[in-house]
């Protein structure tokens, strides 16, 4: 069964997260920032994160991308990781890239000419950097970018968060045109606790369990319990029957113990007084 969520940024402003939860929303994908420095953190990021977590929602994060080269893509990923570092261990949904039309416009304004090849390689570099740091990642995209800007084979290892709003762009009842784990079903949703319109989403996977079981996002995995050790076998008591010429110290030496230990174990008051036929118990 799909899980209902929302995604939001500074443009949504203050949120009453208790009302959001009461409206049936279970998770939030929150914008952490944009660009290639941590100084470009979304000004509402921490307030949104703290509010959602306090209300008991699962959270994931995304980063608006403006990279123009592979190295810039890696730099953006490192900035993203720096911003979310205080929340490591509490982010139970994926981290996502967000390269879209505005990213293309910015690159062109800067004199770059993006192609499907360059966009794909840069996005892979961004996602790889996050993966190498131990995070579960997805790629946010829409139908146009899915078909025309990302080279499908190269992006195959990466799960899609698909913006696919259907005809009315209103609610959750939308079937995605392409396979995806997360589905942004509307950019025009109405959810109690959020002023104005908000993006709404469905999750088709149990991300918190998947992430925990794989030990990702700084969340400890559900490692199999350590096997219960087999109890040590009970010591086997041995016995020795005294023959002529035996001494308690000689018997003790034979079994690697001391005459004092044998005397105490057998209740022999005088270690010098043992007799033929007496059974001496030797501890295991």
């Amino acid at each position: 069964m799909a899980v209902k969520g929302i995604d939001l940024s500074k443009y949504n402003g203050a949120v009453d997260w208790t009302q959001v939860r009461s409206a049936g929303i279970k998770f939030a994908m929150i914008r952490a920032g944009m660009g290639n420095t941590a100084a470009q953190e979304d000004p509402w990021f921490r307030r949104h994160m703290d509010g959602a977590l306090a209300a008991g929602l699962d959270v994931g994060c995304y980063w608006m991308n403006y990279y123009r080269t592979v190295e810039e893509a890696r730099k953006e990923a490192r900035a993203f990781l720096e911003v979310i570092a205080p929340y490591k261990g509490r982010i139970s949904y994926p981290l996502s890239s967000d390269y879209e039309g505005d990213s293309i416009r910015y690159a062109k304004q800067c004199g770059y000419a993006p192609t499907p090849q360059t966009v794909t390689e840069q996005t892979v570099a961004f996602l790889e950097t996050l993966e190498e740091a131990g995070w579960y990642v997805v790629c946010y995209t829409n139908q146009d970018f899915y078909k025309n800007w990302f080279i499908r084979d190269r992006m195959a290892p990466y799960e899609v968060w698909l913006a696919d709003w259907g005809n009315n762009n209103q609610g959750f009842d939308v079937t995605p045109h392409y396979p995806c784990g997360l589905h942004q079903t509307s950019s025009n949703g109405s959810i109690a606790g959020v002023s104005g319109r908000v993006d709404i989403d469905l999750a088709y996977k149990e991300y918190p369990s998947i992430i925990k079981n794989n030990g990702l996002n700084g969340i400890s995995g559900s490692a199999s319990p350590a096997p219960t050790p087999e109890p040590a076998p009970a010591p086997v008591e041995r016995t020795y029957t005294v023959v002529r010429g035996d001494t308690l110290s000689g018997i003790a030496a034979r079994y690697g113990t001391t005459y004092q230990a044998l005397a105490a174990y057998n209740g022999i008051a005088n270690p010098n007084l043992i007799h033929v036929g007496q059974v001496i118990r030797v501890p295991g």
Side-chain angles (χ1 to χ4, degrees):
M1 183 177 178
V3 178
K4 293 181 178 180
I6 59 175
D7 66 89
L8 69 173
S9 68
K10 68 177 184 179
Y11 300 107
N12 299 101
V15 174
D16 184 329
W17 289 100
T18 301
Q19 286 192 46
V20 169
R21 182 184 174 95
S22 296
I25 300 300
K26 303 296 186 185
F27 73 91
M29 295 293 290
I30 297 171
R31 190 175 78 169
M34 64 179 70
N36 57 24
T37 72
Q40 292 169 283
E41 176 182 325
D42 185 297
W44 275 87
F45 171 65
R46 294 172 192 263
R47 280 172 285 186
H48 285 157
M49 288 288 284
D50 293 343
L53 288 167
L57 273 71
D58 290 305
V59 295
C61 302
Y62 69 97
W63 191 263
M64 183 67 197
N65 301 126
Y66 289 101
Y67 40 70
R68 298 158 299 179
T69 67
V70 165
E71 183 48 47
E72 282 189 355
R74 294 194 181 105
K75 189 173 181 181
E76 285 198 13
R78 292 191 292 268
F80 189 9
L81 292 173
E82 183 178 347
V83 169
I84 65 172
Y87 296 95
K88 189 172 184 178
R90 292 188 286 164
I91 298 172
S92 52
Y93 262 62
L95 301 187
S96 181
S97 57
D98 182 6
Y99 190 98
E100 50 185 273
D102 197 49
S103 313
I104 296 287
R105 285 190 291 273
Y106 176 74
K108 289 181 176 179
Q109 288 170 8
C110 296
Y112 289 78
T115 67
Q117 180 70 35
T118 61
V119 169
T120 298
E121 291 305 320
Q122 290 158 20
T123 301
V124 166
F126 179 84
L127 295 172
E128 278 183 343
T129 303
L130 301 178
E131 271 191 325
E132 289 165 2
W135 293 84
Y136 193 112
V137 300
V138 298
C139 173
Y140 176 84
T141 189
N142 56 37
Q143 291 187 67
D144 171 51
F145 271 71
Y146 186 91
K147 292 185 294 184
N148 300 315
W149 281 98
F150 288 121
I151 298 172
R152 200 78 54 84
D153 290 345
R154 185 74 173 98
M155 294 297 295
Y158 297 102
E159 196 172 297
V160 170
W161 172 17
L162 184 67
D164 188 352
W165 304 333
N167 293 326
N168 60 11
N169 191 19
Q170 290 294 319
F172 291 103
D173 189 17
V174 182
T175 300
H177 287 83
Y178 301 103
C180 58
L182 284 168
H183 179 191
Q184 188 184 75
T185 63
S186 172
S187 65
N188 195 35
S190 178
I191 299 294
V194 183
S195 300
R197 297 299 174 178
V198 64
D199 297 342
I200 57 178
D201 303 87
L202 290 173
Y204 299 124
K205 293 189 174 185
E206 292 289 338
Y207 286 110
S209 297
I210 294 169
I211 287 168
K212 181 177 180 180
N213 290 343
N214 287 281
L216 299 171
N217 296 14
I219 299 173
S220 298
S222 59
S224 300
T228 303
E230 292 291 332
V236 178
E237 182 181 86
R238 294 161 291 180
T239 60
Y240 177 80
T241 302
V242 177
V243 298
R244 186 179 300 278
D246 277 336
T247 63
L248 197 61
S249 60
I251 296 169
R254 181 179 300 177
Y255 288 99
T257 183
T258 65
Y259 76 86
Q260 294 94 332
L262 286 182
Y265 193 69
N266 289 272
I268 298 172
N270 186 347
N272 296 314
L273 293 177
I274 59 174
H275 56 82
V276 175
Q278 181 177 354
V279 176
I280 304 296
R281 295 180 297 118
V282 181

